[in-house]
Amino acid sequence: MAKIAIMGFGTVGSGVLEVCRRNAASIARRAGEPVEVKYILDVRDFSNHPDAALFVKSIDTILADPEVKVVVETIGGTKFAYPFVKACLESGRSVCTSNKEMVATYGAELLALARANNAAFLFEASVGGGTPIITPMHQCLAANHISAIQGIVNGTTNFMLTKMKRENMGFDAALKIAQDLGYAETKDPGDDVDGRDACRKIAILASLACGHHVYPAAIPTRGIRDITVADIAAAEGLHCAIKLIAWYHEGENGAPMAAGVEPMLVPAENQLAGVDDVFNAVLMQGDMLGDVVFYGKGAGKLPTASAVVADVVDALKEGSAVHDSLFWQPAPPPEGQLTDAAAHAWYLRVRGVPAAVLPAAAGQGRLVFDKDGECAYLIEKATAAEVDAAEQKLQVLGGQVALRLKMLA
Amino acid sequence: MAKIAIMGFGTVGSGVLEVCRRNAASIARRAGEPVEVKYILDVRDFSNHPDAALFVKSIDTILADPEVKVVVETIGGTKFAYPFVKACLESGRSVCTSNKEMVATYGAELLALARANNAAFLFEASVGGGTPIITPMHQCLAANHISAIQGIVNGTTNFMLTKMKRENMGFDAALKIAQDLGYAETKDPGDDVDGRDACRKIAILASLACGHHVYPAAIPTRGIRDITVADIAAAEGLHCAIKLIAWYHEGENGAPMAAGVEPMLVPAENQLAGVDDVFNAVLMQGDMLGDVVFYGKGAGKLPTASAVVADVVDALKEGSAVHDSLFWQPAPPPEGQLTDAAAHAWYLRVRGVPAAVLPAAAGQGRLVFDKDGECAYLIEKATAAEVDAAEQKLQVLGGQVALRLKMLA
């Protein structure tokens, strides 16, 4: 009988308890022994909960019990989660977490701490919820060099963009529905709609791909607030979908690596264009393998919990042995943000200037629409620096760029 | 320095050598030590090969060298591969293989042998080529019960069906192109076009899902020879694609499990409908997770080799420890074949009877086309047994069912 503890009994934490019980037999078969939740750490009052006897208020209870070999962290945030996880790893206990903020912020440090203490630090559920992404990435792609990652990794914004497209609905209305359904937070939906959640996830994947810590703060991040119904219709006319894309690509010819989170035009033939609703999908390019895509429902209590429990099984079976390749090195934070030096096609929506000035200001391209005092223009090929220059030229002419979107290559 | 041997220097075997060398640094980092190919077993003459010194003609050379810890089997077939792999496992060496025929036929026995000898038996490359499917299935889904699998697992037939659809081309012409491109064998393309290759792959996935050996011979298997351009056009009119689907679902309410390989109508909204060309995709339903899809280019020398090498890294790192969950029990072959008791929508193409008789003979449905002496009919809902009965009724009336396709639910 393997004993585990759960820290944080919110949505995912309670899901972990439920998964452990509902699939107890198959988990026992795979782990080699039955898995029992011995403690649940939560400061709130659960004295009327059917499992009230399991609840503890201090992490010291868990740290004092040598029977507990694996600890699940589902508190979220970093204030409590980070010191608690550190304490668990320092005591030689393996930790499995769904906490992307903590992994994106302290991943390199916690991985090194796990290694030093012969414990495992696993976080499959931090990207893609229940969909296996991190494990196949680091393990099955062991013989591949991963040169690029493109992902739809935030289910809430993908749901909203799908609503906007299918029901001809504006951002505010789509956000309201996402909030009513519990997909977006009511108080501050910014983590989702401003791209911060996606930024943490691509920071984790980029760190794994390039082998050193990539800081979320260094990743240029832009959300979907500026997308209008007109943009989505224009994208469809261009045989594209607008998706919030989290991307990474390695530096070529000595250039530094780059990463970003931004709404992009995704051509219909790209596998990501058809990923709708709350689904997530991550496309990776391996040098030997070509493109692979991992696709599944991202968030949700039981999907995410099932990924955490799979990590628990893994940690129980292997301890630290299996995860030498799930690792990246510490690195100092870079000065400023990562930049994208590549050339792309760009969609610009512009106010305050006549369409006729666009070719001269923004370079070769074509007019997408000209209505209601705005025009949209598709630049054939330009770097971000060139588009910055075009924006300045348009400002001089009294114009304003309301939206700019790269096209995904 | 870890030493390995390659048995069989064909396409995949030579790819393994190439991947080991081209990505030597990242493989060493992930395996914890450099990986060197010490022997290549092949009966053919490679005396002019740049690596001629590595070639040996007898497996005894490999078995006599205690330095070799992991052996790659890329001979194919079972005549030599099976006894050689047995000998390697009995000697305590781990084996990594891309040989689906051997795994589908002797999987349970070889897995038990590996376990008894504290070795690993790994076969990620046997399904989906380089695309990670087996590892995420058995490992990340450890906390899920897998109730159903639907896959496009044969790239050759998927390429042919895509050609037929896009270029309005018949089976024979599409086969010719597939042969010219080296996707299908010239002498006997039956393994691909008659579904035997797909059958072996779903036998492996079904064995993993249900936990006991599922014999390929027990899986009803039908290929794509009967599909015409008219069928593909009719399917498009029904907002479907015709795909060769390998499927498994567990038995419900005490019914036995079922599996099959057959061309099916795949509705456009299903993730598999858009999987074209030589790409593979496997959709799995987990009870906690919902649907996940793994997508990538199936075959090919380097993709497949990179999956074998990832298994080698895994075997070197963990030995047998990691793979207790990659296992299924032996089982006696069933009497007869597995049957599908579920009700589906069915597409029937019929000759020799007027369309007017179809509703009475085949039950509620609608006429899809009636031309050139054939008519196609879409039965709303029926079991296989009910469609058998309909076929008999039509025969009595002088008719003949030229094609029947289930619609994927």
Side-chain angles (χ1 to χ4, degrees):
Chain A
M1 179 74 75
K3 305 288 170 81
I4 70 169
I6 299 171
M7 303 194 295
F9 201 66
T11 306
V12 179
S14 59
V16 168
L17 182 67
E18 186 175 341
V19 170
C20 284
R21 291 191 173 161
R22 276 172 57 175
N23 283 346
S26 72
I27 292 166
R29 179 159 60 94
R30 292 189 165 94
E33 57 186 328
V35 174
E36 189 185 288
V37 176
K38 186 166 182 181
Y39 302 110
I40 301 169
L41 174 67
D42 203 299
V43 291
R44 293 167 294 175
D45 178 30
F46 286 94
S47 53
N48 292 321
H49 191 277
D51 292 297
L54 301 183
F55 283 85
V56 298
K57 299 256 185 252
S58 163
I59 190 173
D60 295 337
T61 314
I62 295 168
L63 294 174
D65 188 337
E67 265 200 331
V68 175
K69 298 276 187 275
V70 176
V71 180
V72 166
E73 186 279 305
T74 45
I75 302 168
T78 59
K79 188 175 170 189
F80 296 102
Y82 171 59
F84 286 5
V85 166
K86 264 176 69 166
C88 290
L89 292 172
E90 282 165 354
S91 76
R93 289 171 176 85
S94 293
V95 173
C96 306
T97 183
S98 60
N99 187 334
K100 52 211 158 253
E101 185 178 352
M102 181 179 68
V103 179
T105 312
Y106 300 109
E109 178 191 345
L110 295 172
L111 285 164
L113 198 57
R115 186 179 273 192
N117 289 282
N118 211 26
F121 179 59
L122 305 179
F123 42 88
E124 173 62 63
S126 66
V127 180
T131 308
I133 293 171
I134 289 177
T135 302
M137 176 177 176
H138 88 87
Q139 187 163 26
C140 308
L141 305 184
N144 277 267
H145 175 73
I146 294 171
S147 54
I149 301 171
Q150 303 169 340
I152 294 171
V153 293
N154 180 270
T156 304
T157 44
N158 204 40
F159 170 83
M160 288 172 59
L161 290 168
T162 305
K163 274 276 167 201
M164 290 169 75
K165 176 179 70 180
R166 288 196 188 144
E167 301 181 24
N168 213 29
M169 180 185 281
F171 171 86
D172 292 330
L175 175 57
K176 175 76 170 56
I177 293 176
Q179 288 173 322
D180 289 349
L181 290 169
Y183 294 152
E185 277 192 44
T186 311
K187 221 168 121 189
D188 177 13
D191 264 11
D192 291 317
V193 303
D194 295 324
R196 290 194 292 274
D197 172 79
C199 174
R200 291 170 190 141
K201 290 168 178 169
I202 194 68
I204 295 170
L205 298 181
S207 298
L208 260 174
C210 75
H212 65 77
H213 197 77
V214 176
Y215 289 83
I219 298 176
T221 297
R222 197 156 54 92
I224 64 165
R225 288 189 198 263
D226 299 332
I227 309 292
T228 64
V229 172
D231 296 320
I232 288 179
E236 288 198 288
L238 298 166
H239 302 292
C240 290
I242 296 180
K243 297 286 180 191
L244 183 65
I245 299 292
W247 60 270
Y248 156 83
H249 64 74
E250 65 174 337
E252 279 169 32
N253 307 321
M257 50 78 77
V261 173
E262 57 195 303
M264 291 177 89
L265 290 182
V266 181
E269 59 271 22
N270 187 302
Q271 282 290 316
L272 299 181
V275 174
D276 282 335
D277 296 314
V278 294
F279 282 84
N280 281 208
V282 175
L283 186 157
M284 293 182 197
Q285 279 167 13
D287 60 345
M288 298 291 127
L289 186 51
D291 291 355
V292 287
V293 177
F294 307 106
Y295 167 94
K297 200 169 277 188
K301 173 179 177 167
L302 293 181
T304 306
S306 78
V308 176
V309 173
D311 275 353
V312 169
V313 169
D314 217 14
L316 284 170
K317 276 194 319 193
E318 335 296 349
S320 64
V322 71
H323 300 291
D324 269 14
S325 65
L326 181 66
F327 195 79
W328 60 80
Q329 300 288 345
E335 306 218 352
Q337 290 203 307
L338 300 166
T339 52
D340 180 12
H344 304 268
W346 294 80
Y347 169 94
L348 255 56
R349 177 159 50 82
V350 183
R351 294 185 195 125
V353 286
V357 308
L358 286 165
Q364 196 156 340
R366 68 186 171 99
L367 191 68
V368 181
F369 68 72
D370 181 0
K371 62 178 181 190
D372 305 335
E374 294 193 323
C375 41
Y377 187 74
L378 189 71
I379 302 173
E380 216 165 76
K381 199 172 182 185
T383 63
E386 287 164 349
V387 178
D388 289 345
E391 278 207 49
Q392 287 184 345
K393 278 189 212 167
L394 288 164
Q395 275 172 9
V396 170
L397 296 168
Q400 184 201 346
V401 173
L403 181 70
R404 54 191 263 187
L405 304 177
K406 282 176 207 164
M407 189 181 287
L408 194 63
Chain B
M1 178 73 74
K3 305 288 170 81
I4 69 169
I6 298 172
M7 304 194 294
F9 201 65
T11 305
V12 179
S14 60
V16 168
L17 182 68
E18 186 175 340
V19 171
C20 283
R21 290 188 175 163
R22 278 173 57 174
N23 283 346
S26 71
I27 292 167
R29 180 158 59 93
R30 291 190 166 95
E33 58 187 328
V35 174
E36 189 185 288
V37 176
K38 186 166 183 183
Y39 302 110
I40 301 169
L41 175 67
D42 202 300
V43 291
R44 291 167 297 175
D45 177 29
F46 286 94
S47 52
N48 292 321
H49 191 276
D51 292 298
L54 302 183
F55 283 84
V56 297
K57 300 255 185 249
S58 163
I59 189 173
D60 295 336
T61 314
I62 295 168
L63 294 174
D65 188 338
E67 264 200 333
V68 176
K69 298 277 187 277
V70 176
V71 180
V72 166
E73 185 280 305
T74 45
I75 303 168
T78 60
K79 188 177 170 187
F80 296 102
Y82 171 60
F84 286 6
V85 166
K86 263 176 70 167
C88 291
L89 292 172
E90 281 165 354
S91 76
R93 288 170 176 86
S94 293
V95 173
C96 306
T97 183
S98 60
N99 186 333
K100 50 208 159 257
E101 187 179 352
M102 182 179 68
V103 179
T105 313
Y106 299 110
E109 179 191 344
L110 295 171
L111 285 164
L113 198 60
R115 185 178 276 191
N117 289 282
N118 211 26
F121 178 60
L122 305 180
F123 42 88
E124 174 62 62
S126 66
V127 180
T131 309
I133 293 172
I134 289 176
T135 303
M137 177 177 174
H138 89 86
Q139 187 163 24
C140 307
L141 306 185
N144 277 266
H145 175 74
I146 294 172
S147 53
I149 302 170
Q150 303 169 341
I152 295 171
V153 293
N154 179 271
T156 305
T157 45
N158 204 41
F159 170 83
M160 289 172 59
L161 290 169
T162 305
K163 273 274 166 204
M164 290 170 74
K165 176 179 70 181
R166 289 198 188 143
E167 301 181 24
N168 214 27
M169 179 185 282
F171 171 86
D172 292 330
L175 175 58
K176 176 76 171 52
I177 294 177
Q179 287 172 325
D180 289 348
L181 289 170
Y183 293 154
E185 278 192 41
T186 311
K187 221 168 117 189
D188 176 13
D191 265 11
D192 291 318
V193 302
D194 296 323
R196 290 193 293 271
D197 173 78
C199 174
R200 290 170 191 140
K201 291 168 177 169
I202 194 68
I204 295 170
L205 297 181
S207 299
L208 259 174
C210 76
H212 66 78
H213 197 76
V214 176
Y215 289 82
I219 298 175
T221 297
R222 198 154 54 91
I224 63 164
R225 289 190 198 262
D226 299 333
I227 309 291
T228 64
V229 171
D231 296 320
I232 287 178
E236 287 198 288
L238 297 167
H239 303 291
C240 290
I242 296 180
K243 296 288 180 189
L244 183 66
I245 300 293
W247 60 270
Y248 156 82
H249 64 73
E250 65 173 340
E252 280 169 31
N253 306 319
M257 49 79 77
V261 173
E262 57 195 305
M264 291 177 88
L265 291 182
V266 181
E269 61 270 21
N270 188 302
Q271 282 290 315
L272 299 181
V275 175
D276 283 334
D277 296 315
V278 295
F279 282 84
N280 282 207
V282 175
L283 186 159
M284 292 182 199
Q285 280 168 11
D287 60 344
M288 299 291 127
L289 187 49
D291 291 357
V292 287
V293 178
F294 306 107
Y295 167 95
K297 202 169 277 189
K301 173 178 176 165
L302 292 180
T304 306
S306 79
V308 175
V309 174
D311 275 352
V312 169
V313 170
D314 217 14
L316 284 169
K317 275 192 323 193
E318 335 295 348
S320 64
V322 71
H323 299 293
D324 270 15
S325 65
L326 182 64
F327 195 79
W328 61 79
Q329 299 289 343
E335 307 218 353
Q337 290 203 307
L338 299 166
T339 52
D340 180 12
H344 303 268
W346 293 80
Y347 169 93
L348 255 56
R349 177 160 49 80
V350 183
R351 293 185 195 123
V353 287
V357 310
L358 285 164
Q364 195 155 341
R366 68 187 172 99
L367 192 67
V368 180
F369 69 72
D370 181 0
K371 62 176 178 191
D372 305 333
E374 293 193 323
C375 40
Y377 188 74
L378 189 73
I379 302 174
E380 216 165 76
K381 198 173 183 185
T383 63
E386 286 164 349
V387 179
D388 288 346
E391 279 207 50
Q392 287 185 345
K393 277 188 213 167
L394 289 163
Q395 275 171 8
V396 170
L397 296 167
Q400 186 201 347
V401 173
L403 182 70
R404 53 191 263 187
L405 304 177
K406 282 176 207 164
M407 188 181 288
L408 194 63

